[in-house]
Amino acid sequence: CWIWVQRWEKYFENDKKTVNLLQTGVKMAEITVNIKKIVDNFLKIEELCKKMEKKLMVITKCIRADKKIVSELIKNGVSSIGDKAIWNLIKIEDKAEKMLMKIPYTFSGENEFEIYYVSDLKIVDRLSKISGDRKVKIMIPLETGELREGVAAEEIVNFVKEGLKYKNIEIYGITINFG
């Protein structure tokens, strides 16, 4: 792909061998997505969640909310979708509950989502202010020691208490990442 070569040539300017290799039209890595297997996996996990009376949310960040995949998942029972990229959630036209997983500090609320993934009380405060009378659901990630985004276990009770002080904020749940 020549556009790709032009974009990346500047990063390889001192490596003429790589630039020449790219310009010869070497095929880049490909991935084949089997939507049927993704749906089958979802249905198996969904069944396990139902047995435990838990709700499953599909996170689409690795597929960039691909329209074909998301539509097929929703057709097969997905009711909640989460993504870190606002533009990925916006392009999902299907009826599904959407959760924004990474709220930019410049977020102004111009795009309203059903759920927000929040680990910072300043963001809870800002969401409350920009939402006005609209009820906002938040999911609180619990830090499990992987040093990812989340509220430390010893701070979670205080975080929930502070979050409950806002009239238009509903604590929808607590998430844990075992990845």
Side-chain angles (χ1 to χ4, degrees):
C1 174
W2 185 248
I3 295 169
W4 187 88
V5 171
Q6 288 175 329
R7 185 185 302 154
W8 288 96
E9 270 185 338
K10 65 181 178 184
Y11 297 106
F12 297 113
E13 26 190 6
N14 295 328
D15 185 355
K16 297 296 181 203
K17 190 158 85 172
T18 304
V19 171
N20 290 337
L21 184 65
L22 293 172
Q23 290 175 342
T24 61
V26 171
K27 192 171 182 177
M28 299 309 296
E30 287 183 6
I31 185 167
T32 303
V33 176
N34 186 326
I35 298 174
K36 184 184 178 328
K37 286 185 179 181
I38 292 173
V39 170
D40 288 346
N41 286 338
F42 161 74
L43 292 171
K44 288 174 188 171
I45 295 169
E46 177 76 357
E47 188 61 36
L48 290 172
C49 288
K50 283 181 184 175
K51 286 179 183 175
M52 296 184 291
E53 299 179 10
K54 304 296 178 204
K55 185 176 176 184
L56 179 65
M57 176 178 285
V58 172
I59 307 304
T60 61
K61 67 182 183 177
C62 70
I63 60 168
R64 300 184 70 208
D66 178 84
K67 192 173 192 164
K68 287 180 189 176
I69 298 171
V70 170
S71 291
E72 199 61 34
L73 284 166
I74 290 172
K75 190 167 74 176
N76 282 279
V78 168
S79 60
S80 295
I81 295 175
D83 204 301
K84 286 190 171 198
I86 291 173
W87 55 87
N88 283 347
L89 290 173
I90 291 170
K91 73 181 183 181
I92 298 172
E93 297 169 358
D94 300 278
K95 299 226 181 302
E97 191 174 57
K98 298 174 192 135
M99 177 175 73
L100 181 59
M101 297 177 61
K102 187 78 171 172
I103 302 169
Y105 281 99
T106 58
F107 185 69
S108 61
E110 69 276 3
N111 303 101
E112 294 180 359
F113 301 107
E114 291 80 9
I115 309 169
Y116 296 88
Y117 187 85
V118 182
S119 62
D120 184 337
L121 286 170
K122 292 177 197 153
I123 298 289
V124 174
D125 185 62
R126 202 160 96 242
L127 276 173
S128 176
K129 287 176 182 167
I130 63 177
S131 298
D133 293 332
R134 186 175 69 90
K135 193 77 161 174
V136 176
K137 297 176 186 174
I138 64 169
M139 295 286 282
I140 305 167
L142 178 65
E143 168 56 48
T144 58
E146 293 181 340
L147 302 178
R148 301 179 107 169
E149 181 177 0
V151 177
E154 60 273 7
E155 297 172 17
I156 195 79
V157 172
N158 185 55
F159 191 98
V160 169
K161 283 180 183 177
E162 290 298 313
L164 289 172
K165 290 179 182 177
Y166 295 92
K167 302 252 187 281
N168 61 341
I169 298 291
E170 175 188 342
I171 297 182
Y172 193 60
I174 295 175
T175 66
I176 300 173
N177 185 338
F178 294 112

